[in-house]
Amino acid sequence: MKRAAFVALVAASVGCVSNVPTDAFSYQFPDNVGEDLAPVLAAQPPPSADAITNAIGEPVAVVTTHPIEPEEGSAQQATEAELAALNLTSGEVLWRKPFEAMTRPDILGDVVMTSVRGAVVALDLRSGEELWREELDDLAYVGASRSGNVLVWVASVGVAGGANRKGRLVAVDARSGRARWEHRIDGVLGHPQLRGGYVFVPWDRQNIAILKLEDGIEVARLRTTDDVIGWVRAEPQGVYYGYRGIYKLNERSASGTKEGSTYRVAPLADAPREPLVQDDGYYPTPGTRSARGRIRVYYEPEPTTETEGIPVEGDRFYFVYFRYVFAFDGEENLSWARVLPRDIVRAHALTNGVLTIAEDGNARLLGHDEGKIVWEQDYDLELASAGLDVGDFSPAPNAEADPADADRTLRSSLLRIAGDPDNRLVPARAFAVELLAKMEEPEITRDLLDLYAQRSTPGALREAIGNALRVREVGTEYLVSALDQHYDYLDDVPAPPLGLIVPALLEQRVDGAVEGLVAHMMDHETPREVLPTVIRGVVELGDESVVPPLQTFLTLYHADSLFEENADALAVAAEGIFRHGGDEGRALLQALMAQPRTEEPAQVAIQGLFDREEAQAAAQARAEAEAAERAAAEAARAEAAARPTKLSQAQINEVFVAHTEHLRGCIEGELERNPRLGMVRFAFIINNDGTTEEMRYAPASEPLVECLRPVVGDLRFPQFRQRRQRASFTVSLRSTPEAEQTEDEMVMGPWWQRAQRRSETQGGERNIGRPWWQIRRVDAPSQGGGDGGPEGGGGQEGDGPWWMEGEEDGSGGSGGGPDDSGDDSGDGDSGDADGEQPWWLPSE
Amino acid sequence: MNQSRGRLAALAIVALGLLSAAGAEAQRRGAEPAEGDSRRPTLTIAELDTVTPQLQSADPDEVREALDLLVAMDDARVVEPIAELLRSGHRDRITDRALNALKVLASPRAIEVLSEFRHHRRASARRRAYQALAAIEDRRVPGLLERGLRDSDRSVRGAAALALGEVGSEANLEILFVAFERNVVEAAIAIGKLGGEQSIARYTEFLGREPLGVMLSGYHEFLRRDDIGVEKKTAIVERLGEVSGTMVRRFLQEYLGTFPSGRIRNRELRELKEVVEQTLRRIPESGGGVTMGGGQ
């Protein structure tokens, strides 16, 4: 508001000059502001169907022709470049005049806008008389639009890059050309569009400046943040903009993103040359003969207020590529395809089909459903460009039925395009091949093979056919039957396209092709460059049955000069024998390799097979060894994890019990020397690997120790997790009182037997090897001295005097006590995992 | 080993001497040198087991010598070891020598292996196989030779056509005409050798479409055949007279030289000679003539 007031003040101060540059195209102008856009949207008329807007009220085309210079001796007359207006309903030429138009005419009400060198020109639609013109200096006329009496045109330069970037936007009286307002900027402007009292101007490929038509003041700006804006299109259906994709102008446009806007992705993005859905608004549309504009997608949006999608009229996109028309539905499924005799200079999508204007001046309406020519008009002009204002043209059918239409199918139409000899249009022919390859009819495989075999088929098309056949899963029977063909000079039969067929067979794993492939392997007419591929097919698709022909081939040629430099074919044959031939095959290969006459490349290839096998075996062995190693390590880790933190007394006792006989001998010997011997005690350290060290004996008599050392030195205990533990084991030599002995104890005899039995029956409890009086009573008070008089049967921890107890950690008890070994030496200490030494072991 | 090699070398010298003296006719099981001739071979089929192992030698010279010795034996029983040699795959020179050996031997036993070698990937091997087949008198041979006309290699097609001209019959004419239409120029010679009088008109239709030199090669055969009537030969001469030109003149002069000198008793032959002479008189000595085909 303030801005407008300021501008108005400036305008007033300079005296109401209508063409004073007004505020627009400033880089400081805020963009994507919903509040700015809202009044613009509110002013737009509701969407309506496409309609004729020209002053005649009939479907009209204004065309440019290109000059003709007839060949010497020809009866044709020379013609100049002309401008002509055509009434499509009546078929009459309204007027024609010599005119070298540089740009395609725009039909704007009762005015036709075009340009000549250095000037933009307005002509009367009805008569063709020039109304006015304006010099352009060094700018190029881009396009114009009209609303009421106001016509807005743009000229610009610099769209292709470079430092010179200028744009001129001019609003004039349509009939007089009197300027109303104007902007000149340092930037590139595109074809403007008018609707609802506003001018929509694409600018610098990222912006749409929205100006008021009455004064040219910019009121809103749209800027894309993730796309390009190449055109704006204002139609009765609404305002649309975009570049490859299509946006619809509504409140969502202020988001400036694809995601946030009402947007439709570019239709037919995979079509050749990435066709645009609208002429690029920044480039002048040529009025002379040009390839520009011959590749395009045509559609008409449906009038709708929906904001979620952009439906198109008739659910149709028409892809025009020079002479070819492809009709797709909204899901991009091909509906029909058609070839016209001459290039199409312009088209227009209608409800009932597509109107085409061709170079030969022929206008045709191709029907919506099948692409049949339902209406046509021939103006006998050589056209360069055509401006159209036809609305939703719906003429009465007048075309004679084409007999070819009776048999026309989608398949035949695409084949017609693919096989068209026009080598300008190879990309579109390849596109037709791609579309064919997607169809399910098996015969299409044969069609593609036939097309490939034609000598006139260009390389790019052959490549497209090869790619198509490789992915095609139906029709493989035709690939196989193609192998029945062999070269014949007299009958002029070429070799089948094996370079095309074999990869497709391999891709589809067609086993039934082996016989044919073998025949071609043995056929001398199979080209050398494709021979390795053929043999590869034999090897990959065959089994042991292909070994004999492979052997024949390899044997026959292993010394021939034909494969002196390139032995790929021999190498593949050798590989096949190696793979399928078993031991016999390998023996043959070894023999061939050993022959001095075998060509060196063949020898190398054969040797390579064996080397690779050896290397693979070694690698596999290594992998297996590593796996075994890893498994062993894992098992060891698991085993280690399963180990106890430390050994229990029962586990310690179990080891000693297993060596009872050895111990008995030594102890009995000591008993003889010392009848008073009451016990023998072992105190030692167990390492976590089960070995022992620092073995102490009590009594430590030399003969006893000498006798015991070899025995106990070899003891191996179970492994455990902590690094080491102190342990002890006591052999009690005094039996329990007879009354207190169990019957079993009395029967079993000496201690070692009892100990063993107890171990078996009591699950290896810690009382094994202990005299009963050593078993601590749970509630017995700490006592000192004494010779450890027995107090009762053992078998349970804590049942005997505390000083007699042999702890797992070897401690002698909590308060020390008399030597309970039966020897007064008092040496030895059973050790203590916690570091406390039994009193009867010498301290370290 | 050295003694064996020396003996073989000696035998090889004898064999080579025999071969060089044999000539073309001797190659088709021709006469042995006369008794008392110092070159009379001492090699017999009994040596087969001695020579055959040398075909397995790693020394190509030994293999070549062995081949020559086998050929010198001139017995169909040597075909099998040569066939085995061929199938075992050898260097080009050995393979070609072995194929040539089979040609010299001209044994029907070789048809099988030669038939296989019609499909050898090397054109020179195929050509030799066809040439070897042509040396064999067997009813199967013409049919096998016809396949060579379909070959992609020009020299093979030519060899097959020439071979058919030697051993073929009128039954092969149709395919020879097809081949001639497809620019197998050697077929002209074969047509000239095999074609009956009714073929001459068909052959003459090519006059103006094919190089004159090629056409003359076929007419050369027609004119020298005894089974072609004088009337037909006269027509040929007169037709060539219409073509005229230096090449035709030279051709007719050569043909004139084949007539007996002096007075010819046979009236038809005498009339034919007169026609030739008259035609020659009409043809300018230099320049002139109708430009026909691409051969002049």
Side-chain angles (χ1 to χ4, degrees):
Chain A
M1 197 58 182
K2 287 183 180 176
R3 185 168 57 239
F6 171 72
V7 168
L9 181 62
V10 170
S13 69
V14 297
C16 298
V17 175
S18 62
N19 60 351
V20 170
T22 51
D23 186 7
F25 302 104
S26 164
Y27 288 109
Q28 280 72 49
F29 194 98
D31 52 40
N32 297 333
V33 178
E35 289 77 17
D36 291 346
L37 188 60
V40 176
L41 297 173
Q44 298 302 312
S48 60
D50 195 11
I52 293 169
T53 58
N54 68 72
I56 297 176
E58 298 272 340
V60 167
V62 178
V63 300
T64 61
T65 68
H66 61 88
I68 294 177
E69 290 190 18
E71 292 178 8
E72 199 172 319
S74 166
Q76 193 177 21
Q77 290 194 341
T79 61
E80 299 173 280
E82 291 185 312
L83 195 64
L86 314 176
N87 185 318
L88 296 181
T89 300
S90 64
E92 64 176 314
V93 179
L94 298 174
W95 50 264
R96 61 194 290 180
K97 58 189 287 183
F99 196 92
E100 290 191 8
M102 300 302 295
T103 51
R104 186 178 70 204
D106 290 323
I107 303 173
L108 305 170
D110 58 357
V111 170
V112 174
M113 285 289 288
T114 184
S115 68
V116 296
R117 285 190 196 284
V120 60
V121 181
L123 304 102
D124 180 72
L125 173 64
R126 293 185 179 85
S127 65
E129 294 296 317
E130 182 171 323
L131 297 174
W132 53 268
R133 64 169 61 195
E134 177 78 18
E135 297 298 314
L136 290 175
D137 300 325
D138 59 346
L139 303 180
Y141 169 69
V142 173
S145 186
R146 177 177 179 175
S147 178
N149 290 326
V150 183
L151 187 148
V152 177
W153 61 268
V154 160
S156 192
V157 70
V159 65
N164 187 22
R165 293 159 53 81
K166 293 179 189 169
R168 186 180 173 194
L169 173 71
V170 185
V172 299
D173 283 340
R175 296 289 298 180
S176 68
R178 182 182 67 87
R180 288 172 173 245
W181 49 262
E182 177 176 337
H183 291 287
R184 292 180 189 249
I185 70 165
D186 291 328
V188 184
L189 298 175
H191 191 141
Q193 296 285 294
L194 276 58
R195 194 173 191 272
Y198 290 91
V199 184
F200 301 89
V201 187
W203 169 41
D204 275 352
R205 287 214 173 273
Q206 263 201 305
N207 310 285
I208 299 175
I210 304 175
L211 289 66
K212 283 195 294 183
L213 178 60
E214 62 183 359
D215 55 17
I217 295 176
E218 186 171 4
V219 296
R221 173 91 56 86
L222 294 179
R223 183 174 67 88
T224 179
T225 59
D226 58 0
D227 202 355
V228 171
I229 295 177
W231 51 267
V232 178
R233 178 181 172 185
E235 302 287 346
Q237 301 96 313
V239 177
Y240 300 86
Y241 59 97
Y243 182 51
R244 301 203 177 279
I246 307 167
Y247 296 82
K248 183 176 180 181
L249 182 73
N250 53 34
E251 59 275 8
R252 298 180 64 187
S253 299
S255 71
T257 63
K258 289 180 196 171
E259 175 112 24
S261 304
T262 301
Y263 172 77
R264 182 167 187 153
V265 295
L268 306 176
D270 293 335
R273 302 286 192 258
E274 297 179 296
L276 295 179
V277 293
Q278 198 70 29
D279 292 327
D280 192 316
Y282 290 87
Y283 283 93
T285 47
T288 55
R289 203 173 192 184
S290 168
R292 189 186 290 280
R294 300 295 191 263
I295 303 172
R296 240 200 73 176
V297 174
Y298 291 92
Y299 74 101
E300 278 298 308
E302 265 187 22
T304 177
T305 54
E306 290 289 325
T307 59
E308 284 307 314
I310 303 179
V312 298
E313 195 70 64
D315 195 32
R316 275 280 186 269
F317 287 102
Y318 297 96
F319 171 44
V320 173
Y321 195 105
F322 288 84
R323 295 192 293 120
Y324 308 147
V325 182
F326 301 85
F328 292 87
D329 65 19
E331 301 299 317
E332 299 191 18
N333 300 308
L334 182 66
S335 297
W336 53 260
R338 186 105 192 175
V339 182
L340 298 184
R342 296 285 299 274
D343 293 351
I344 296 166
V345 299
R346 194 76 192 278
H348 189 85
L350 307 167
T351 302
N352 54 356
V354 59
L355 174 70
T356 64
I357 310 293
E359 279 185 335
D360 58 1
N362 199 301
R364 294 182 182 87
L365 175 57
L366 307 183
H368 174 277
D369 294 341
E370 297 178 358
K372 293 180 181 177
I373 300 174
V374 297
W375 172 91
E376 64 182 320
Q377 191 82 260
D378 187 5
Y379 291 92
D380 196 23
L381 294 168
E382 283 296 316
L383 301 185
S385 71
L388 297 177
D389 182 28
V390 298
D392 194 20
F393 183 41
S394 182
N398 70 348
E400 290 180 10
D402 184 352
D405 282 342
D407 299 324
R408 193 188 310 274
T409 61
L410 189 54
R411 170 185 159 201
S412 66
S413 298
L414 289 173
L415 280 171
R416 167 86 172 80
I417 291 173
D420 189 39
D422 192 339
N423 283 338
R424 299 177 303 152
L425 312 181
V426 170
R429 293 167 62 189
F431 183 58
V433 166
E434 291 172 22
L435 293 169
L436 273 169
K438 294 176 186 173
M439 296 170 66
E440 291 296 316
E441 294 160 71
E443 294 79 6
I444 289 176
T445 299
R446 183 191 59 207
D447 296 337
L448 293 175
L449 284 172
D450 290 343
L451 181 61
Y452 187 97
Q454 292 177 22
R455 291 195 178 92
S456 59
T457 301
L461 198 60
R462 290 183 177 203
E463 187 178 337
I465 294 172
N467 293 336
L469 285 179
R470 264 194 288 280
V471 299
R472 200 169 149 72
E473 296 180 355
V474 296
T476 55
E477 62 271 27
Y478 291 100
L479 296 176
V480 176
S481 63
L483 295 177
D484 294 337
Q485 179 177 312
H486 288 261
Y487 176 88
D488 188 311
Y489 177 81
L490 286 193
D491 293 340
D492 200 20
V493 175
L498 295 168
L500 171 78
I501 293 172
V502 178
L505 290 171
L506 283 171
E507 189 71 36
Q508 303 303 327
R509 306 300 302 178
V510 182
D511 298 343
V514 175
E515 188 177 333
L517 289 172
V518 170
H520 280 282
M521 179 178 75
M522 304 309 294
D523 185 349
H524 63 275
E525 304 290 6
T526 298
R528 192 185 307 184
E529 61 271 13
V530 82
L531 186 59
T533 304
V534 172
I535 302 176
R536 174 61 60 193
V538 172
V539 172
E540 296 297 332
L541 299 177
D543 52 20
E544 61 271 11
S545 65
V546 303
V547 172
L550 286 172
Q551 287 179 339
T552 300
F553 181 90
L554 184 61
T555 303
L556 190 60
Y557 295 115
H558 74 282
D560 198 285
S561 65
L562 279 175
F563 299 99
E564 194 172 36
E565 291 184 1
N566 185 340
D568 288 352
L570 299 180
V572 180
E575 184 185 329
I577 297 168
F578 193 83
R579 187 192 298 188
H580 298 303
D583 293 337
E584 277 186 34
R586 284 154 190 260
L588 170 74
L589 292 174
Q590 296 276 16
L592 289 177
M593 197 166 50
Q595 287 181 7
R597 67 176 186 263
T598 301
E599 292 287 356
E600 188 185 344
Q603 284 182 328
V604 169
I606 295 173
Q607 181 64 55
L609 293 170
F610 289 96
D611 290 345
R612 271 194 298 280
E613 186 182 54
E614 199 176 310
Q616 282 171 0
Q620 187 172 1
R622 270 196 308 276
E624 286 173 0
E626 285 168 9
E629 232 176 86
R630 281 194 297 276
E634 185 58 34
R637 273 193 296 278
E639 189 270 336
R643 291 178 197 161
T645 305
K646 62 177 186 178
L647 297 179
S648 67
Q649 187 61 51
Q651 288 173 305
I652 295 168
N653 295 341
E654 197 174 327
V655 172
F656 275 94
V657 165
H659 293 78
T660 300
E661 290 302 313
H662 299 111
L663 296 174
R664 181 176 62 183
C666 297
I667 295 174
E668 283 180 341
E670 184 65 17
L671 264 176
E672 288 176 6
R673 293 185 289 274
N674 181 9
R676 296 182 58 214
L677 184 64
M679 70 172 74
V680 175
R681 191 176 184 94
F682 304 85
F684 50 95
I685 293 173
I686 311 178
N687 297 311
N688 62 2
D689 62 355
T691 59
T692 61
E693 61 182 74
E694 297 182 22
M695 183 67 72
R696 301 277 191 262
Y697 305 86
S701 73
E702 193 174 327
L704 177 62
V705 171
E706 286 303 315
C707 184
L708 288 173
R709 185 178 287 130
V711 178
V712 300
D714 289 342
L715 291 179
R716 289 292 176 271
F717 292 84
Q719 295 178 355
F720 53 93
R721 291 209 297 273
Q722 76 181 34
R723 194 167 65 87
R724 57 212 307 229
Q725 73 178 87
R726 291 185 180 275
S728 68
F729 179 76
T730 304
V731 178
S732 173
L733 303 177
R734 298 283 181 251
S735 62
T736 55
E738 188 169 333
E740 294 177 5
Q741 284 182 348
T742 64
E743 187 177 330
D744 287 343
E745 287 178 338
M746 292 173 69
V747 169
M748 291 302 292
W751 65 268
W752 48 82
Q753 290 178 357
R754 294 198 302 279
Q756 193 156 5
R757 189 178 68 254
R758 206 173 290 137
S759 168
E760 290 167 2
T761 59
Q762 294 179 6
E765 296 298 330
R766 56 186 294 167
N767 296 321
I768 295 175
R770 291 172 155 196
W772 62 271
W773 60 87
Q774 288 184 358
I775 298 171
R776 183 209 293 265
R777 284 184 188 226
V778 174
D779 55 352
S782 171
Q783 297 179 33
D787 61 358
E791 292 249 338
Q796 292 255 347
E797 182 176 3
D799 285 346
W802 58 269
W803 64 86
M804 289 301 182
E805 188 170 9
E807 293 290 344
E808 286 181 5
D809 57 8
S811 63
S814 61
D819 178 6
D820 55 3
S821 64
D823 189 327
D824 290 336
S825 62
D827 60 348
D829 184 293
S830 63
D832 189 327
D834 298 328
E836 292 182 12
Q837 301 283 338
W839 60 271
W840 51 268
L841 283 180
S843 57
E844 294 175 341
Chain B
M1 182 60 152
N2 287 337
Q3 278 185 341
S4 168
R5 184 168 167 76
R7 182 159 182 264
L8 286 171
L11 290 171
I13 291 171
V14 171
L16 284 171
L18 289 172
L19 283 174
S20 65
E25 197 57 36
Q27 289 180 356
R28 294 182 60 84
R29 303 181 70 92
E32 294 180 350
E35 194 167 345
D37 190 325
S38 62
R39 296 173 299 170
R40 183 184 176 83
T42 58
L43 213 56
T44 66
I45 195 64
E47 314 275 357
L48 180 64
D49 291 340
T50 305
V51 175
T52 299
Q54 297 309 311
L55 293 175
Q56 310 300 322
S57 170
D59 183 352
D61 291 333
E62 279 195 22
V63 176
R64 276 198 293 273
E65 287 171 12
L67 273 173
D68 296 341
L69 292 173
L70 290 176
V71 170
M73 293 176 192
D74 197 21
D75 190 294
R77 281 171 283 183
V78 309
V79 168
E80 192 49 44
I82 295 177
E84 198 176 315
L85 173 79
L86 282 168
R87 291 185 179 116
S88 70
H90 260 272
R91 296 291 175 104
D92 299 8
R93 293 173 66 181
I94 299 296
T95 299
D96 293 348
R97 200 176 188 95
L99 289 168
N100 286 342
L102 292 180
K103 175 182 171 184
V104 171
L105 291 167
S107 166
R109 291 192 190 189
I111 287 179
E112 185 179 343
V113 66
L114 290 173
S115 187
E116 292 167 20
F117 271 72
R118 294 180 307 150
H119 300 292
H120 197 279
R121 293 193 64 86
R122 194 158 46 79
S124 59
R126 297 199 299 277
R127 189 174 63 247
R128 284 179 170 79
Y130 282 112
Q131 289 166 344
L133 279 169
I136 301 171
E137 288 182 11
D138 190 285
R139 60 180 173 76
R140 292 172 289 174
V141 169
L144 296 173
L145 293 176
E146 280 188 359
R147 189 64 186 83
L149 297 175
R150 302 177 185 276
D151 200 283
S152 59
D153 186 86
R154 190 192 172 291
S155 70
V156 173
R157 294 195 297 270
L162 289 174
L164 265 176
E166 295 296 324
V167 303
S169 66
E170 283 204 49
N172 307 116
L173 266 179
E174 188 55 41
I175 196 170
L176 283 168
F177 270 110
V178 172
F180 190 52
E181 190 126 25
R182 291 281 285 134
N183 299 317
V184 182
V185 298
E186 293 85 350
I189 299 173
I191 292 170
K193 287 185 175 180
L194 300 176
E197 290 189 355
Q198 66 279 9
S199 300
I200 296 175
R202 185 177 176 185
Y203 182 74
T204 301
E205 287 175 9
F206 288 91
L207 198 59
R209 290 159 47 192
E210 293 296 329
L212 182 59
V214 172
M215 294 301 296
L216 291 176
S217 66
Y219 285 130
H220 179 274
E221 302 299 328
F222 279 124
L223 290 174
R224 281 159 180 74
R225 284 167 54 189
D226 295 333
D227 60 324
I228 300 294
V230 170
E231 187 181 335
K232 293 295 180 184
K233 292 182 182 179
T234 301
I236 291 173
V237 172
E238 287 175 344
R239 185 68 181 91
L240 288 176
E242 292 172 10
V243 174
S244 190
T246 311
M247 193 180 292
V248 172
R249 184 181 177 78
R250 195 157 52 236
F251 175 80
L252 290 177
Q253 281 175 335
E254 284 176 9
Y255 182 51
L256 191 62
T258 66
F259 285 86
S261 55
R263 190 169 181 277
I264 299 173
R265 288 184 180 279
N266 185 303
R267 182 180 61 82
E268 286 182 334
L269 196 62
R270 186 170 65 248
E271 287 174 358
L272 177 59
K273 183 180 176 184
E274 285 170 7
V275 169
V276 175
E277 288 168 339
Q278 285 167 11
T279 305
L280 272 169
R281 281 196 289 274
R282 286 202 298 273
I283 298 174
E285 285 200 12
S286 61
V290 177
T291 302
M292 308 195 90
Q296 282 186 295

